[in-house]
Amino acid sequence: MAPPAKTKNHNHLATVHLRFLLALTVAALSSVASATDSSLCTIPSPAPEHVAGGGKDTLPLINSFRLSAGYFFGGEDIHFARDESDGDDSLSHVRRSFTLLPLRVGRTTNSTVIHVSATLTLTGGRSVDAAAAASHHRRRNRFPAGGFHSVSFHLDGYYYSTSAELCMVGAGTYTEDDGWRLSHLFDAVLCLHVPSPPSLSDPFVSGQIKGAGFDAISLIAYAEGDGYKYGSGHHASCPPPPSTGVRGAGGFSCAHLKEQLVSSYKLHHGGGAHAPLRLREPRMHVGQVQCTENGDGTMADVRMYATFSDSTNMWLAGQLRPGFAVKEAAVVAEGRWDAGTGALCLTACRVVRSGPASLAVEEQDCGIGMSFWFPAVWTVRDRSVVAGALWNTSQHGAAGSDAAGVISASSIDFDSIVSSRGNLSDVEYRYTMVDEAKKRYFSDVLKNHKNKAKGPFPAATATHTYHDFQFRFYMENVNGGSDHGEAYPVTIGSAMVHGDGLGADNSFSRHGEVDMEEQEDELLPVSYDIHIRHLPPNVNFMRPNMTSLATTIEERLVTAEGVYDPNTGVLCMIGCQELNVSTTDCQVLITVLFASLDAKAQGNGKGVISSLRPKTDPLFFDKMGFSLFGMYAEQASESVSRMDMESVMLVLTTTLPCVFTALQILHAKRRPEASASTSLTMLVILALGHVAPLVIGSEALFVSRGTQYAPFQRMVPREVRQAMLRAPTLIALVLQLRLLQLAWSARRPAAGRSKAAETAAAAESRAFWVVCLPLYLLGGALTVAAHASNSRRAAMEGSIAVRVGPEPATLWEDLVSSAGLALDGFLLPQVAMNAFSSGGGAARAISPWFYAGGTVVRAMPHVYDAIRSRGYVKSVTPSNVYATARDDRFGAAWDAVVPCGVGLLAVLLFLQQRLGAAFSFGSRRRSGEYEMASTQLED
């Protein structure tokens, strides 16, 4: 019986210990509350005791206080960017938001009081003025001016169900502008109105947080959790979906509904005088959706928060995420998803904003009907993942509503404009413009491309993927700036390849090859979504500054369908583009010539967008050409394998100099006269070649400019990558310094210095001043001149140039590349020194392993680059890991000149050390010198 007694004692001690800690917490909370500002709310004193045990309602309680997306006003005195109340925060680079994450929720002895511990996090843009205050940290600043800013508060308090008030106290922290120091905010008091339960008439959480050192910050959010009380909207009636059919009749999960419904929608206003909301905004954004499934899985209760905006910028619509906006007209809605009809039917109420952070719902503004469904049929004009309608109901006798109270003449249809990544395999696509595209292809397009076909080209076969039909492009804009974009196939034959990747792969593999065989004219029907974005002048669209471009990127969508000829690689389509809210132009001809799948074929694909309208038509536009870039799937796979191989080669060529230098040290110790005859200039150049990577950073060795996706980088931790390159480079540097120390010791003035050492010193001095230094200075001057010429030419091109790929090299980068040529010719100082010495290198100062191995290490990148340029497809973003422009000069000419040059220097050094004075500029008339040469030849 002893063990149970022992266990019981331990449990008793644990209970006593827990109660003691809770008592300390309550005491501390009471003391903090007494010291804080009580104008917002008050913590009870003494605080009610906690009830032991979590209970079954712990998780619902936690969820009832969780807020994942709210909005706040104020905070400028804690470094948040100023909030423009009349502006459009959706155009800011960093949207304002806050989250409330409950950490612990428990009941107390008072049934109307609940204890809550939580973390409140405010996020938004960082004040530019605050960032400028830390200008002395700017070079190491991790958060640029106007970038991301976050403040976190750790709070503890109580919720009173009688007043629906949450009162909490605590402290906060945020990171200073230098990215390292933490600032603390003390005596923070949070007071929130949390409706219990929330409903259609009372759906918002609102309140303030205030503390020492900062003014009150107003908070507003849409209530979350499962405790919502549905009202009349739960039984709303809606018209049936279109007769073309809907998806989801078998049922959708709540997770799927939320994923699909949170989107931006294009509104098509009707002609009635009494439009819903009495507004005419062209866009609707659903930012918050809450859903609760019923037990049988055929019904689900849904509620949402939606806003209306005048902005028609599609790029911004694509950047929007689930969130909470308060500056636009808005509605709250509740209703039910019916799997039987495949439609979501809701009743919506207009939200009235009476203050910066004061939102309310008026009962007289609840006469709005709202419906959502998922279309089962797509065409070139309608490819909505989600569609729906808004209308005035007859609940309050609204003018224009029909007798049944379902839809008035002023109804508004809408459809989603943001592509979904869900599974769309159950969507049927109906081609309507393929015949027109075929006629254009045979009459106008084929005759211009028939003789240009040099395949093979992508085809709907098992050896290809639908990714091969995707392409990116860029074009010059005569009005300044540049247009670029991407084209994604929607259908290839009867295969739906839009949406979920796994579903698209399965559909393509099942239908693609069958569709190819069924086509009598070998033309495959296809459809595309083409996104075209316009950037302002002097912007590299490969790496744009998103902070400055948030309000300047313009995007338009062109939906197209037509035919693809796998024999010629030509894609001919008829497209539709929306010009404004009420006008769509479907007289657009798009012709694309794909690049060959042959990796050795030079050149990329190209295309043309032109108008089929007469020149006198107001919608006519001039022909626009564009160029394709990117890789096919097979080429990308080969590129990945190549980068893996280059990573191994890079490590190998970084390690080999350690071996060659160690062998040279052994050679110098076996032949004491060798150290004195070794060129110090050569050793210094080689040492600097090892120092540079260590100073600049070994990360630069592993990727070329603009390269960030080498497989080695993804798979190997950063510390391991650094060690794999820094370790051999550091070892090679130490060995090189040891070799330099041996040569310097043999040369330094001393009583016992040999005459050979004095001769070597004189010869090296002449070689340095006469040969080496002039060549190095000339190379540097030519590099500066070439860089200046290139910069001048780039400046003359101005804004009409479309920049594709990496940024132009800086002067420093050009000088570093030219310094690689000095490393390539590392034997030049030794050869020149031997030529000016009387012995002509007869001392055999350099080991064959050292000069032959070093020559191979320096020549191999150029030999490899010559092979790589003929066997691999060049990409817009460089993906070279080995033999990059950061290390040396590369190109067709350099790849031929450098190996020949370094090979010639190695041969000259070999002959100098074998023949001695025969390769010397010095006097050869001394008998002693001839005797030494004769002795060396006999050896």
Side-chain angles (χ1 to χ4, degrees):
M1 299 299 294
K6 186 176 181 181
T7 302
K8 184 176 180 180
N9 291 336
H10 277 295
N11 292 336
H12 177 71
L13 291 175
T15 303
V16 172
H17 183 62
L18 178 61
R19 290 181 177 178
F20 179 71
L21 289 178
L22 291 176
L24 288 180
T25 302
V26 171
L29 192 60
S30 300
S31 63
V32 171
S34 62
T36 56
D37 186 356
S38 60
S39 60
L40 293 180
C41 59
T42 304
I43 298 293
S45 180
E49 295 184 4
H50 294 265
V51 175
K56 296 181 179 180
D57 60 348
T58 300
L59 185 58
L61 281 175
I62 291 178
N63 290 334
S64 65
F65 293 103
R66 179 181 288 115
L67 298 174
S68 60
Y71 194 89
F72 67 92
F73 293 86
E76 288 81 6
D77 45 4
I78 52 176
H79 295 192
F80 279 106
R82 186 172 174 203
D83 175 67
E84 300 292 342
S85 298
D86 297 328
D88 187 359
D89 188 68
S90 65
L91 301 182
S92 301
H93 177 56
V94 182
R95 291 179 62 98
R96 281 193 168 209
S97 66
F98 78 85
T99 61
L100 183 67
L101 178 63
L103 303 177
R104 185 179 59 185
V105 177
R107 296 196 177 275
T108 66
T109 53
N110 187 336
S111 60
T112 63
V113 179
I114 300 174
H115 176 252
V116 181
S117 295
T119 298
L120 174 70
T121 304
L122 310 179
T123 58
R126 181 177 291 267
S127 170
V128 176
D129 295 336
S135 58
H136 59 287
H137 296 288
R138 182 61 57 223
R139 293 192 177 184
R140 295 186 179 181
N141 190 0
R142 299 187 333 186
F143 301 105
F148 179 82
H149 184 46
S150 175
V151 179
S152 294
F153 294 91
H154 301 282
L155 306 166
D156 198 289
Y158 294 90
Y159 174 74
Y160 307 93
S161 59
T162 54
S163 60
E165 181 183 83
L166 175 64
C167 185
M168 308 180 77
V169 297
T173 59
Y174 65 90
T175 306
E176 286 285 358
D177 300 280
D178 57 10
W180 300 101
R181 294 176 299 162
L182 286 179
S183 288
H184 297 272
L185 302 172
F186 299 102
D187 301 335
V189 180
L190 170 69
C191 181
L192 288 179
H193 166 73
V194 183
S196 178
S199 62
L200 186 63
S201 59
D202 188 14
F204 298 112
V205 175
S206 60
Q208 290 183 328
I209 184 170
K210 185 179 180 181
F214 66 96
D215 295 331
I217 299 174
S218 299
L219 309 171
I220 184 73
Y222 184 65
E224 302 177 20
D226 299 330
Y228 184 86
K229 182 181 180 181
Y230 286 88
S232 59
H234 191 256
H235 305 287
S237 61
C238 294
S243 58
T244 54
V246 296
R247 299 184 297 124
F252 276 152
S253 66
C254 271
H256 184 76
L257 282 174
K258 294 172 68 173
E259 178 187 6
Q260 300 293 332
L261 293 175
V262 175
S263 180
S264 291
Y265 299 85
K266 178 172 60 177
L267 302 182
H268 307 279
H269 291 270
H274 302 276
L277 302 178
R278 301 182 296 277
L279 296 172
R280 290 287 181 176
E281 284 81 3
R283 295 290 184 264
M284 178 179 72
H285 179 71
V286 177
Q288 287 278 293
V289 175
Q290 302 298 323
C291 178
T292 304
E293 294 185 25
N294 291 340
D296 56 3
T298 60
M299 293 284 192
D301 297 327
V302 181
R303 57 190 179 96
M304 66 174 59
Y305 177 84
T307 58
F308 298 83
S309 171
D310 289 320
S311 174
T312 58
N313 191 318
M314 287 194 59
W315 185 84
L316 289 175
Q319 306 306 307
L320 292 176
R321 297 292 183 267
F324 187 77
V326 298
K327 297 179 181 179
E328 300 91 2
V331 295
V332 290
E334 66 177 20
R336 173 171 292 185
W337 164 261
D338 188 347
T341 61
L344 172 62
C345 185
L346 308 103
T347 294
C349 299
R350 185 183 180 188
V351 175
V352 179
R353 181 183 177 191
S354 58
S358 178
L359 301 180
V361 176
E362 300 291 342
E363 291 187 7
Q364 61 269 25
D365 288 325
C366 290
I368 302 170
M370 182 181 288
S371 178
F372 291 83
W373 60 85
F374 302 93
V377 177
W378 283 9
T379 64
V380 69
R381 296 176 181 269
D382 186 5
R383 297 179 182 175
S384 304
V385 177
V386 185
L390 284 164
W391 64 90
N392 286 327
T393 65
S394 59
Q395 293 177 4
H396 300 283
S401 59
D402 64 3
V406 179
I407 297 182
S408 70
S410 58
S411 63
I412 300 176
D413 296 330
F414 56 81
D415 51 72
S416 59
I417 59 177
V418 179
S419 298
S420 169
R421 301 305 298 173
N423 189 347
L424 303 175
S425 58
D426 54 347
V427 174
E428 176 191 353
Y429 190 90
R430 295 178 182 174
Y431 293 100
T432 59
M433 295 187 175
V434 167
D435 292 337
E436 175 68 16
K438 282 185 179 181
K439 183 171 65 174
R440 294 284 178 180
Y441 175 70
F442 286 117
S443 62
D444 302 330
V445 179
L446 183 59
K447 61 183 180 181
N448 296 325
H449 294 90
K450 191 170 184 179
N451 297 327
K452 299 180 181 180
K454 296 180 180 179
F457 298 101
T461 62
T463 57
H464 301 91
T465 73
Y466 76 94
H467 295 287
D468 290 333
F469 290 85
Q470 299 176 356
F471 59 88
R472 302 175 67 189
F473 61 89
Y474 64 92
M475 64 180 72
E476 292 188 2
N477 192 313
V478 294
N479 297 321
S482 63
D483 289 347
H484 74 282
E486 304 88 27
Y488 301 100
V490 175
T491 58
I492 301 176
S494 60
M496 172 62 70
V497 296
H498 186 72
D500 179 72
L502 293 177
D505 284 328
N506 180 57
S507 180
F508 182 79
S509 61
R510 286 190 295 110
H511 299 288
E513 196 162 359
V514 175
D515 293 335
M516 286 288 294
E517 296 174 354
E518 292 178 351
Q519 302 301 320
E520 296 180 359
D521 50 12
E522 296 186 350
L523 295 182
L524 189 66
V526 295
S527 62
Y528 272 79
D529 276 350
I530 304 174
H531 299 264
I532 304 176
R533 302 181 185 93
H534 175 75
L535 295 181
N538 300 321
V539 173
N540 184 351
F541 67 79
M542 297 298 296
R543 292 188 294 173
N545 184 337
M546 303 312 298
T547 302
S548 62
L549 294 181
T551 60
T552 57
I553 295 179
E554 300 176 4
E555 178 178 340
R556 65 182 186 273
L557 172 65
V558 179
T559 59
E561 68 177 40
V563 292
Y564 170 70
D565 190 343
N567 296 319
T568 61
V570 175
L571 176 66
C572 181
M573 298 185 294
I574 306 296
C576 296
Q577 62 174 338
E578 181 184 1
L579 301 179
N580 51 54
V581 176
S582 59
T583 306
T584 300
D585 181 13
C586 288
Q587 295 293 312
V588 179
L589 178 64
I590 303 167
T591 305
V592 179
L593 175 61
F594 281 91
S596 172
L597 287 166
D598 186 0
K600 297 181 180 180
Q602 298 298 318
N604 296 317
K606 57 184 179 180
V608 175
I609 301 177
S610 58
S611 177
L612 296 176
R613 298 178 180 272
K615 291 186 177 181
T616 56
D617 193 299
L619 299 182
F620 174 83
F621 58 89
D622 293 329
K623 183 182 298 185
M624 298 180 293
F626 57 87
S627 299
L628 277 60
F629 63 91
M631 292 183 177
Y632 293 118
E634 183 179 355
Q635 295 169 349
S637 178
E638 291 177 356
S639 180
V640 170
S641 300
R642 173 181 58 80
M643 287 188 286
D644 288 339
M645 179 185 66
E646 289 184 7
S647 300
V648 176
M649 294 174 64
L650 180 61
V651 175
L652 182 64
T653 54
T654 309
T655 306
L656 283 177
C658 301
V659 179
F660 299 145
T661 307
L663 292 174
Q664 175 63 22
I665 293 175
L666 295 177
H667 175 78
K669 289 185 176 181
R670 287 198 302 265
R671 303 175 67 94
E673 70 279 8
S675 296
S677 301
T678 302
S679 171
L680 294 178
T681 304
M682 177 188 70
L683 298 180
V684 169
I685 290 175
L686 290 174
L688 290 176
H690 295 307
V691 170
L694 296 174
V695 174
I696 297 175
S698 62
E699 290 293 309
L701 291 175
F702 238 97
V703 288
S704 61
R705 289 171 293 155
T707 302
Q708 298 296 334
Y709 58 92
F712 189 83
Q713 279 196 308
R714 295 197 305 264
M715 302 300 296
V716 182
R718 180 175 181 271
E719 294 76 9
V720 178
R721 294 200 310 269
Q722 286 187 335
M724 292 180 65
L725 288 179
R726 286 184 181 272
T729 304
L730 185 60
I731 294 173
L733 175 62
V734 172
L735 294 173
Q736 198 69 47
L737 293 177
R738 171 58 178 162
L739 193 58
L740 182 61
Q741 187 264 334
L742 291 175
W744 180 262
S745 299
R747 294 273 194 91
R748 63 185 178 183
R753 187 170 73 163
S754 64
K755 185 177 181 179
E758 296 177 358
T759 304
E764 173 147 28
S765 178
R766 294 182 61 191
F768 177 77
W769 293 104
V770 175
V771 179
C772 299
L773 185 60
L775 286 178
Y776 296 154
L777 293 177
L778 178 62
L782 291 176
T783 300
V784 173
H787 177 83
S789 176
N790 294 335
S791 300
R792 193 180 306 111
R793 183 170 61 252
M796 291 177 61
E797 292 176 353
S799 62
I800 64 173
V802 181
R803 189 182 307 154
V804 182
E807 297 286 345
T810 63
L811 177 59
W812 171 251
E813 290 174 331
D814 281 338
L815 289 174
V816 169
S817 297
S818 297
L821 295 177
L823 281 172
D824 292 336
F826 73 99
L827 291 177
L828 177 63
Q830 184 67 49
V831 171
M833 173 184 166
N834 291 343
F836 283 106
S837 67
S838 58
R844 297 188 180 183
I846 308 300
S847 165
W849 285 103
F850 186 77
Y851 69 79
T855 298
V856 171
V857 169
R858 298 306 306 179
M860 275 305 298
H862 294 275
V863 175
Y864 175 77
D865 184 65
I867 299 173
R868 178 175 58 190
S869 63
R870 290 167 175 78
Y872 292 98
V873 179
K874 294 182 179 180
S875 62
V876 175
T877 303
S879 58
N880 299 335
V881 179
Y882 178 67
T884 69
R886 187 183 290 274
D887 307 318
D888 209 337
R889 292 286 182 182
F890 292 94
W894 292 114
D895 291 343
V897 171
V898 172
C900 294
V902 298
L904 178 62
L905 289 175
V907 171
L908 288 175
L909 182 60
F910 170 77
L911 294 176
Q912 285 177 340
Q913 295 193 155
R914 295 293 295 179
L915 302 179
F919 280 82
S920 171
F921 294 152
S923 174
R924 301 172 185 171
R925 298 179 180 179
R926 300 176 185 176
S927 60
E929 294 175 357
Y930 284 108
E931 291 176 1
M932 183 178 296
S934 175
T935 301
Q936 295 293 335
L937 289 172
E938 291 176 0
D939 293 342

